[in-house]
């Protein structure tokens, strides 16, 4: 299975922190988020890595010029049309199944979060989402996006996601329950591409409704580096 890194977005919220025009090249603890994500996918054992990037971000390819640990392909997304569009373009190179890792997300305390998704997929054959439990103090800085409705045990010991709540970017993430949240880690199967076209939340929620979406819990401190608050918090932890 190939890994896919979506890296074509403008990252306008992080523009003042960009390195060579790219938020993916922001360094935490002396290593860029792009290279941290590549390291993780290689450790998970992917066949190759497809990086979806923009012609406006040549520094992404330059940063990977010496990479030789796995096959590497660059996929162009000329306009930032969202994550599903980026993955459709990657699909033309890697096929239906892919392990998606966003370079926005930092996991402290877990050597390879992507390995958890592969293990859940081997158990069930289903589409898998990496899930973390949001905790304080970082949780209070998040908006209400990616919230998982509930996790229920399945017949094979897996954790089935019952639904993914609609994004409410103007609301804080509620901290009054188990606080499960999707991360920037997904393992997509051919079943995902059979869903009616929509954004990522809509398509994944459709899978959840028919018992085809599984959670891979990731025991780690999770930080979204795609937010200025997240970058500041990560630097306070690792720099």
């Amino acid at each position: 299975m190939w890994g896919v890194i979506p890296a074509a977005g403008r990252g306008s919220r992080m523009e003042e922190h960009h390195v060579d025009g790219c938020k993916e090249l922001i360094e935490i603890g002396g290593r860029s988020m792009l290279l941290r994500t590549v390291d993780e996918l290689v450790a998970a054992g992917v066949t190759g890595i497809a990086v979806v990037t923009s012609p406006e971000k040549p520094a992404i390819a330059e940063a990977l010029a010496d990479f030789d640990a796995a096959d590497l392909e660059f996929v162009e997304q000329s306009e930032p049309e969202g994550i599903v569009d980026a993955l459709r373009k990657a699909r033309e190179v890697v096929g239906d199944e892919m392990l998606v890792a966003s370079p926005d997300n930092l996991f402290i305390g877990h050597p390879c979060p992507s390995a958890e998704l592969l293990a859940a997929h081997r158990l069930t054959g289903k589409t898998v989402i990496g899930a973390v439990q949001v905790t304080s103090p970082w949780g209070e800085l998040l908006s209400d996006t990616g919230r998982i409705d509930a996790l229920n045990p399945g017949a094979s010991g897996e954790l089935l996601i019952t639904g993914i709540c609609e994004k409410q970017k103007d609301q804080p993430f509620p901290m009054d329950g188990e606080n499960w949240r999707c991360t920037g880690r997904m393992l997509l199967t051919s079943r995902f591409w059979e869903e009616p076209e929509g954004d990522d939340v809509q398509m994944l929620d459709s899978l959840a409704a028919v018992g085809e979406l599984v959670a891979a819990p990731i025991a780690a401190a999770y930080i979204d580096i795609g937010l200025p608050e997240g970058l500041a918090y990560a630097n306070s932890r690792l720099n």
Side-chain angles (χ1 to χ4, degrees):
M1 184 180 298
W2 278 63
V4 174
I5 300 177
R10 293 194 177 103
S12 55
R13 290 176 298 185
M14 298 295 292
E15 192 166 1
E16 66 179 285
H17 303 286
H18 284 183
V19 176
D20 294 332
C22 305
K23 67 176 180 178
E24 297 83 3
L25 300 183
I26 294 171
E27 291 191 358
I28 303 291
R31 193 155 182 79
S32 74
M33 290 302 297
L34 176 65
L35 293 181
R36 284 177 175 271
T37 308
V38 167
D39 292 344
E40 178 187 331
L41 290 173
V42 170
V46 297
T47 303
I49 298 174
V51 181
V52 184
T53 188
S54 162
E56 298 178 1
K57 300 170 74 173
I60 295 290
E62 292 168 6
L64 295 172
D66 297 327
F67 176 78
D68 60 1
D71 290 339
L72 179 66
E73 295 282 350
F74 292 97
V75 178
E76 183 176 302
Q77 186 185 28
S78 56
E79 295 293 333
E81 299 289 348
I83 182 67
V84 173
D85 178 70
L87 299 180
R88 287 189 189 280
K89 288 177 166 55
R91 184 187 180 200
E92 297 174 7
V93 174
V94 309
D96 287 350
E97 292 194 346
M98 61 184 75
L99 179 57
V100 183
S102 167
D104 289 351
N105 303 113
L106 181 67
F107 301 88
I108 302 174
H110 195 298
C112 186
S114 289
E116 302 289 356
L117 279 72
L118 287 166
H121 176 66
R122 284 193 293 268
L123 178 67
T124 65
K126 296 179 179 180
T127 295
V128 184
I129 295 291
V132 293
Q133 284 189 290
V134 176
T135 59
S136 296
W138 166 237
E140 280 79 5
L141 302 177
L142 290 171
S143 60
D144 188 7
T145 61
R147 178 161 49 94
I148 293 172
D149 182 44
L151 300 180
N152 289 337
S156 300
E158 75 274 27
L159 290 173
L160 293 170
I161 296 175
T162 61
I164 299 175
C165 302
E166 290 187 16
K167 297 177 182 179
Q168 300 184 81
K169 294 184 178 181
D170 59 341
Q171 298 295 320
F173 193 91
M175 298 291 291
D176 55 359
E178 292 190 340
N179 308 335
W180 287 105
R181 188 179 196 261
C182 302
T183 68
R185 299 292 181 271
M186 301 186 290
L187 192 158
L188 303 184
T189 66
S190 58
R191 184 68 177 78
F192 174 82
W193 302 109
E194 296 172 8
E195 292 305 308
E197 190 165 339
D199 65 22
D200 54 328
V201 171
Q202 292 167 336
M203 294 176 73
L204 292 169
D205 194 50
S206 293
L207 284 178
V210 293
E212 287 291 330
L213 187 62
V214 173
I218 299 172
Y222 156 78
I223 306 172
D224 186 348
I225 307 298
L227 300 172
E229 301 91 340
L231 177 60
Y233 183 57
N235 281 328
S236 74
R237 293 285 302 267
L238 292 181
N239 285 343

